[in-house]
Amino acid sequence: MAKGKGKRDAAVKRQYETLPYPPRDPKDEAARLIEGSPSHLDELNHYLFAGKRDFSQPFRALVAGGGTGDAAIMLAQHLADRGKAGHVTYLDLSSASRQVAEARAEARGLDNIDFLTGSLLDLPSLNLAPFDYIDCCGVLHHLEEPVAGLAALVSCLADDGGMGLMVYATLGRTGVYPVQNALRSLTEGDSVGNQVKLAKNLLKDLPPANWLNKNKVLGDHKLGEDAALYDLLLHPRDRSYLVPEVLDLLTETGMQLVRFIEPVRYEPEMYLKDPELRKRARKLDTGARAALAENLSGSIKTHTFYARKLHGTAAGEARFDPEMIPVLKDNNAEILSRTLAARSSLTVHFDTDPVTLDIPDGAADFVRYINNQRNLREIQSEMSMTWPNFRTAFAPVYKMLQGLNLLWLKSS
Ligand SMILES: C[S@@+](CC[C@H](N)C(=O)[O-])C[C@H]1O[C@@H](n2cnc3c(N)ncnc32)[C@H](O)[C@@H]1O
């Protein structure tokens, strides 16, 4: 083992034993469930299983580098809400993080999670495979060899399964690495507590023109949480990815992209008004369009995405077919319908970037019928329309809401 690598491995472990991330209090479980992307059960069903996975049947999920438990708890709760067949395996290097995650599961009365302490690099030898779904968020970019880490996960994935991943994005993190380098040169070798203290002092006097100060998308160092400050600016090992590098990472490990989340952020037309430029952007392939969107946006600080095996049998993304049930993420048809009825365009803020979308005609009417139980055929018949007319009218509404990651499809 290279000396530097061993030292960095030890420093990564020390960080997460001292400052489990993200900071969570198990008592908060009584008040709320943290839900998000990836790994919301309806979302992963939509993107990886064509919306057709039956969660009353066995379903094995792995959360690799599970931290303080956000994804494992959300997944385990969603699966428990659908019966007893689903199971989650949580794995993390840090036993302090695991303790928090376990206490959260206990607070919720969840008994469908196995907790393991160890490295995801050792997964192939643990004989746990195959998993139907693997979540790995905010972890691969901290490994010495991210490709080896992802390859270890791929070796445990069922051929018809898929993954939800998150890695840092280069452009939205503009300013992070010069400050990380500065702090490394000044504080490497200090205790975690001392590093945090010195980092706070350095931030107080950072010149206005420093890129970290100029980057309005980044705020983790201003939350007043030592764990967040350390993760952003004192991490012993992290790297970031541009879209083409994400695609290369997947190709190198025999995986392929299904979708970046939120899909609309990776559409260049969101950032282009000129008709000629929009026409040219439309001619690019999906990867080139996503890369262009990242170059234009400036606010994408993480890449969250679903992926499946290149030669696997995962069904992929759900389709706007009659038997599919539209599912609103927040089950808020009434409010959303009123919002859509009141205007002709919708402006959504992703971090600091406002994205404005034209609202297709009839959007409010369609949304009013969604109750997360009726399928599209039933909605079509309640609206007294033929299927072709219904599809022509509402496929664009579906596309807009799915692009914002507000609407998914499921079959039952
Ligand atoms: C930034 S935290 C993210 C936690 C969680 N995935 C989330 O998104 O909330 C990174 C986590 O990865 C864990 N980790 C780092 N390297 C690992 C490895 N080789 N195997 C397993 N876990 C690892 C750390 O201990 C830490 O809990």
Side-chain angles (χ1 to χ4, degrees), residues 168-190:
Y168 291 147
T170 299
L171 301 181
R173 282 171 73 81
T174 298
V176 167
Y177 295 102
V179 174
Q180 275 195 9
N181 291 339
L183 285 169
R184 192 167 295 122
S185 69
L186 293 167
T187 75
E188 198 168 43
D190 280 26

Side-chain angles (χ1 to χ4, degrees), residues 73-116:
I73 297 295
M74 170 175 66
L75 258 175
Q77 186 66 63
H78 286 177
L79 288 167
D81 292 346
R82 284 161 173 80
K84 288 199 170 298
H87 191 273
V88 178
T89 300
Y90 161 105
L91 172 75
D92 200 284
L93 268 189
S94 150
S95 46
S97 301
R98 169 183 165 168
Q99 264 175 32
V100 177
E102 274 188 297
R104 292 175 71 184
E106 201 180 320
R108 292 191 158 269
L110 292 168
D111 59 3
N112 55 350
I113 313 179
D114 276 343
F115 288 93
L116 303 175

Side-chain angles (χ1 to χ4, degrees), residues 9 12-13 15-17 19-22 24 37-38 63-72 90-95 97-98 104 116-123 135-144 149 166 168 231 235 237:
D9 282 346
V12 171
K13 186 162 165 59
Q15 171 185 344
Y16 291 114
E17 290 298 359
L19 294 170
Y21 185 86
R24 296 286 182 239
S37 300
V63 182
T68 47
D70 283 2
Y90 161 105
L91 172 75
D92 200 284
L93 268 189
S94 150
S95 46
S97 301
R98 169 183 165 168
R104 292 175 71 184
L116 303 175
T117 302
S119 172
L120 63 82
L121 294 167
D122 296 329
L123 270 166
D135 169 294
C136 187
C137 287
V139 185
L140 293 174
H141 49 228
H142 294 314
L143 302 181
E144 191 79 14
M166 184 277 271
Y168 291 147
D231 216 57
H235 206 291
R237 184 169 59 203

Side-chain angles (χ1 to χ4, degrees), residues 249-323:
L249 175 70
L250 291 173
T251 310
E252 280 179 71
T253 49
M255 296 289 287
Q256 61 179 314
L257 179 76
V258 177
R259 275 283 182 188
F260 284 112
I261 304 295
E262 294 83 6
V264 79
R265 298 185 84 176
Y266 291 84
E267 287 298 338
E269 279 114 307
M270 290 305 112
Y271 315 102
L272 297 170
K273 297 259 182 296
D274 179 76
E276 177 60 24
L277 292 174
R278 289 171 71 114
K279 198 170 96 193
R280 291 180 186 206
R282 269 196 294 274
K283 287 192 187 143
L284 300 173
D285 67 36
T286 314
R289 289 163 59 77
L292 172 58
E294 179 181 34
N295 280 325
L296 295 173
S297 154
S299 77
I300 298 176
K301 58 185 179 184
T302 56
H303 294 300
T304 297
F305 52 99
Y306 285 99
R308 59 180 163 156
K309 286 187 176 177
L310 197 53
H311 302 296
T313 53
E317 196 165 336
R319 292 157 46 128
F320 192 83
D321 286 338
E323 79 280 5

Side-chain angles (χ1 to χ4, degrees), residues 205-265:
D205 298 325
L206 212 54
N210 179 282
W211 287 107
L212 184 69
N213 273 342
K214 288 186 165 192
N215 187 342
K216 301 300 170 215
V217 180
L218 295 168
D220 282 6
H221 53 307
K222 298 176 190 155
L223 296 173
E225 287 168 354
D226 289 354
L229 171 72
Y230 202 99
D231 216 57
L232 185 71
L233 298 177
L234 287 158
H235 206 291
R237 184 169 59 203
D238 92 41
R239 59 153 298 179
S240 61
Y241 288 81
L242 294 165
V243 163
E245 294 168 319
V246 171
L247 301 178
D248 285 349
L249 175 70
L250 291 173
T251 310
E252 280 179 71
T253 49
M255 296 289 287
Q256 61 179 314
L257 179 76
V258 177
R259 275 283 182 188
F260 284 112
I261 304 295
E262 294 83 6
V264 79
R265 298 185 84 176

